[in-house]
Amino acid sequence: MASPVAQFELKTLIPIEVGGVDLSFTNSAAWMVLAIAGVTAFLTLSMSGRRMVPGRWQLMAELSYEFIANMVKDNVGSEGRKYFPFVFSLFMFILACNLFGMLPYSYTPTSQIIVTFAMAFVVFIGVTIIALVRHGLHFFTFFFPSGAPVYMAPLLIPIEVISYFVRPVSLSVRLFANMMAGHTMLKVFGGFVIALGVFGVAPLALIVALTAFEILVAVLQAYVFTILTCLYLHDAIHLH
C-alpha cells in the first residue's frame, strides 16, 4: 500500500531552470492555475447573463460576493472597502484550491507549507506596509497596549512583537496542517477499505462521512484565513 503522504509529493511537469535556480512547473502549480481558471470561469459565466431573478450559478456568485463584502465591512469597517478585491480573490483562491483537492487523483496546493506561507507572508507584509503608510512611526505604539502601565513595557513589548511576527507562521500552519491531516486520514482509511475487501464496509462508510467533514473543513479554513486577514487589516488601519 502506498504511503499516505505520497499524495503530497511534488512532481515536475515542465522542467525549467534559470540561472541555476529550479523554476520547474509542478503539479502544485498546475492545480493552482486550474483553481484560478475555475474561479474566473465561475464568476464570469455566472454573471454573463445577469437577470433580476438570479439562477443558481448567479445566486452562488452573488452570495460569495456579498459574504466577503459583509465580512470586510464588519471586521475592517468602511475604510476596508478598497481592500475588498484582494480579500475576495484570496478567499476564492483558497476555497478553490481546497475543494479541487477533494477530486480523485487531484492535488491540494494548500497542503504545501510553502504555498500557505507565501500567501500568509504577502498578507503580513501588506498589512505592515499599510500600517506604516497610514500611521508612520506611530505604528510602533501598536506593540504597547493602550492604557497599560509604563513599568510593564519591558514585558509587554517583547510579547507583542513576537506575537506580531508569528502571525504569518500561525496563519500558514493552520491551513496547511488542516488540509494535510484531513487528506492523510482519508488515505489511511481508504487503504483499510482495500485491505479488508468485503469487510471494508465500515471503513468505507466512515470515508463517506469523513469526506463530507473534509469538504466542510475546506470551506471553513478558507473562511478562517480570510477573516484573520480582515482582522489584521483592521489592526493596521485602526491600530488600538
Side-chain angles (χ1 to χ4, degrees), residues 1 29 33 53 77 90 108 114 116 134 143 147 194:
M1 185 175 64
V33 171
V53 180
L90 186 67
T108 312
I114 188 61
T116 59
R134 288 181 63 91
F143 301 111
I194 296 174

Side-chain angles (χ1 to χ4, degrees), residues 58-127:
Q58 182 180 336
L59 182 61
M60 290 174 61
E62 290 180 355
L63 287 175
S64 301
Y65 182 96
E66 186 177 354
F67 176 68
I68 300 302
N70 289 333
M71 182 191 297
V72 173
K73 180 181 177 181
D74 294 340
N75 293 282
V76 186
S78 58
E79 295 182 51
R81 190 176 304 167
K82 66 180 73 173
Y83 307 109
F84 167 78
F86 171 76
V87 177
F88 181 73
S89 300
L90 186 67
F91 172 78
M92 295 301 291
F93 174 72
I94 296 174
L95 181 62
C97 286
N98 291 351
L99 293 179
F100 277 22
M102 297 301 299
L103 298 174
Y105 305 106
S106 65
Y107 189 87
T108 312
T110 46
S111 66
Q112 289 290 329
I113 185 64
I114 188 61
V115 174
T116 59
F117 183 78
M119 292 188 292
F121 190 70
V122 167
V123 170
F124 174 76
I125 294 298
V127 298

Side-chain angles (χ1 to χ4, degrees), residues 142-145 155-165:
F142 179 75
F143 301 111
F144 186 67
L155 176 63
L156 292 178
I157 291 177
I159 292 175
E160 292 292 332
V161 170
I162 292 172
S163 65
Y164 186 81
F165 282 95

Side-chain angles (χ1 to χ4, degrees), residues 86-240:
F86 171 76
V87 177
F88 181 73
S89 300
L90 186 67
F91 172 78
M92 295 301 291
F93 174 72
I94 296 174
L95 181 62
C97 286
N98 291 351
L99 293 179
F100 277 22
M102 297 301 299
L103 298 174
Y105 305 106
S106 65
Y107 189 87
T108 312
T110 46
S111 66
Q112 289 290 329
I113 185 64
I114 188 61
V115 174
T116 59
F117 183 78
M119 292 188 292
F121 190 70
V122 167
V123 170
F124 174 76
I125 294 298
V127 298
T128 302
I129 291 174
I130 291 170
L132 286 170
V133 169
R134 288 181 63 91
H135 305 287
L137 294 178
H138 185 65
F139 161 71
F140 294 99
T141 62
F142 179 75
F143 301 111
F144 186 67
S146 179
V150 177
Y151 63 83
M152 292 292 291
L155 176 63
L156 292 178
I157 291 177
I159 292 175
E160 292 292 332
V161 170
I162 292 172
S163 65
Y164 186 81
F165 282 95
V166 163
R167 282 180 173 184
V169 177
S170 62
L171 194 61
S172 59
V173 169
R174 183 183 293 105
L175 176 58
F176 145 76
N178 276 279
M179 299 314 300
M180 186 175 188
H183 284 63
T184 301
M185 188 164 53
L186 286 173
K187 184 70 174 181
V188 169
F189 282 100
F192 287 149
V193 173
I194 296 174
L196 294 176
V198 293
F199 299 103
V201 176
L204 179 60
L206 186 58
I207 284 179
V208 173
L210 287 175
T211 300
F213 178 73
E214 187 67 8
I215 292 174
L216 176 63
V217 169
V219 177
L220 182 62
Q221 287 306 311
Y223 167 78
V224 170
F225 197 102
T226 309
I227 198 169
L228 286 176
T229 299
C230 290
L231 293 176
Y232 297 159
L233 274 171
H234 176 273
D235 290 343
I237 294 172
H238 303 288
L239 287 186
H240 300 294

Side-chain angles (χ1 to χ4, degrees), residues 35-46:
I36 294 172
V39 170
T40 303
F42 164 66
L43 295 174
T44 303
L45 296 176
S46 297

